[in-house]
Amino acid sequence: MATVPALEKPPAALAETPAEQPKKGFRKYWHLYAAISPFYLLFLAFGLIPVGFSFYVSLHRWDGLGSMEWAGLSQYQYLLSDSDFWSSVGNTILIWALATFPMIFLAMVTAVMLNSAVRFKNVYRLAYFLPNVTSVVAIAIVFGSVFSTNFGLVNALLQAVGLDQVAWLNTPWGIKIAIATLMTWQWTGYNAIIFLAGLQTVPSELYEAARMDGAGPVQTFFRVTLPLMRPVLLFVLVISTVTGLQSFSEPQVLLQNTANESTFSGGPGHAGRTMVLYFFQQTFDNNDFGYGAAVAWGVFLVVILFSIINWRLVRRRGED
């Protein structure tokens, strides 16, 4: 009867206990963590800590100088019933809608034209991107002259075709259209460059196959280009939602000389008072830092809500 050979003794390297194995933790990679630590330290100092402190302030009544008085959730309870806040939310949403959808359409058309251009592509890209890097204050001052009632370029064009003048910066809808036009002009070129980058990733073989199947330019755009551009469109829509719902400099500079009230009033009838403008009014005009912090958190929730809605709508259409 054959005997089973005895198992050989394992090598010493395999017999080591876990405690004897080299340690692979923070001490081994500390220099890598130290290299990336400045970003996280700055983010902690100028990001997380201020955000946490703003929530702490929103639970108190504070004028910015004296001692804080505990208020609990009463600031948020008042925010839910504050008609001025909800009016600013409505103004912001209307301005965002008037600016975002025409801007996305114009940016897509511009990107398609740039993608098909043969000569001077870089010159066109620079020209369309220039408004985004121009100072918002300078843009608002120029648009204030363009939409001026008596000497504005827009009213001059209306009179040239036989129409009456419009007091753009003194009527509710005129104010919203002026702010939306400014934002559209500012962001169209920026988003056109993003759309152009997405268009250049579409394989040319797909366009050739579409032409061989008899598809025209319009059918090719809606059947080939647009479905493949959906992730880029989603990105542009979310970014436009975040920036559009936080508009501040545009109405503040454009309307600062059209009302006898504070700088953050939003023009006659508060028609241009956005959410962020209302936050600045409560904080720096009324010196109510506690309620201003609560308004800031309300703005944050509105922006998050609309971003999620836009993301879900675009994704659902893509799945369909």
Side-chain angles (χ1 to χ4, degrees):
M1 181 175 180
T3 59
V4 179
L7 295 176
E8 298 181 358
K9 186 178 181 180
L14 297 178
E16 291 181 355
T17 62
E20 297 174 351
Q21 294 180 357
K23 295 182 179 181
K24 298 181 180 180
F26 178 80
R27 286 185 294 177
K28 182 176 181 180
Y29 301 105
W30 68 268
H31 56 287
L32 301 179
Y33 292 113
I36 63 175
S37 63
F39 167 79
Y40 293 98
L41 293 176
L42 291 174
F43 178 72
L44 178 66
F46 299 101
L48 290 181
I49 292 178
V51 168
F53 182 70
S54 69
F55 181 73
Y56 175 78
V57 171
S58 69
L59 302 177
H60 296 77
R61 293 184 179 91
W62 187 39
D63 61 0
L65 295 176
S67 59
M68 295 185 180
E69 179 185 351
W70 175 257
L73 298 177
S74 61
Q75 310 268 31
Y76 293 97
Q77 293 175 351
Y78 179 75
L79 181 67
L80 294 176
S81 60
D82 186 0
S83 59
D84 290 336
F85 171 72
W86 291 110
S87 175
S88 69
V89 173
N91 292 336
T92 306
I93 294 174
L94 282 175
I95 294 171
W96 167 79
L98 290 173
T100 300
F101 297 111
M103 179 268 297
I104 291 178
F105 172 77
L106 293 174
M108 180 66 76
V109 172
T110 303
V112 173
M113 295 173 61
L114 288 175
N115 193 44
S116 60
V118 179
R119 303 176 61 184
F120 308 113
K121 285 187 176 182
N122 293 330
V123 176
Y124 295 144
R125 295 174 186 175
L126 177 62
Y128 282 111
F129 192 75
L130 188 61
N132 186 254
V133 297
T134 306
S135 171
V136 178
V137 176
I139 296 173
I141 293 175
V142 172
F143 270 77
S145 300
V146 170
F147 284 96
S148 175
T149 302
N150 297 321
F151 307 103
L153 177 61
V154 176
N155 280 334
L157 294 176
L158 292 177
Q159 287 183 317
V161 296
L163 299 177
D164 296 332
Q165 290 183 344
V166 177
W168 295 101
L169 301 181
N170 291 283
T171 57
W173 276 102
I175 288 173
K176 292 179 175 61
I177 291 174
I179 298 174
T181 304
L182 189 158
M183 296 171 62
T184 300
W185 184 85
Q186 181 185 6
W187 291 100
T188 296
Y190 173 84
N191 290 310
I193 299 301
I194 296 178
F195 281 138
L196 178 62
L199 288 173
Q200 292 179 344
T201 62
V202 179
S204 58
E205 293 82 3
L206 297 179
Y207 292 122
E208 295 177 1
R211 283 194 296 268
M212 293 179 62
D213 291 339
V218 177
Q219 291 179 322
T220 301
F221 176 78
F222 284 102
R223 298 296 182 89
V224 177
T225 305
L226 196 58
L228 294 177
M229 288 285 292
R230 197 174 301 276
V232 182
L233 180 62
L234 174 61
F235 172 79
V236 169
L237 184 59
V238 172
I239 294 299
S240 300
T241 300
V242 173
T243 56
L245 294 179
Q246 297 183 75
S247 57
F248 166 73
S249 300
E250 298 86 353
Q252 192 267 335
V253 178
L254 190 63
L255 304 171
Q256 62 179 346
N257 296 323
T258 59
N260 296 324
E261 302 179 22
S262 69
T263 307
F264 310 112
S265 64
H270 310 299
R273 185 171 61 187
T274 60
M275 294 186 294
V276 179
L277 208 59
Y278 183 65
F279 154 72
F280 269 79
Q281 185 184 43
Q282 294 299 315
T283 305
F284 299 107
D285 271 359
N286 299 342
N287 292 325
D288 193 348
F289 283 75
Y291 185 62
V295 172
W297 278 95
V299 173
F300 170 75
L301 293 177
V302 172
V303 172
I304 291 296
L305 176 63
F306 269 80
S307 300
I308 293 175
I309 291 174
N310 290 329
W311 181 76
R312 292 293 299 270
L313 288 176
V314 175
R315 286 293 300 270
R316 182 174 297 177
R317 291 180 180 179
E319 294 173 358
D320 293 342

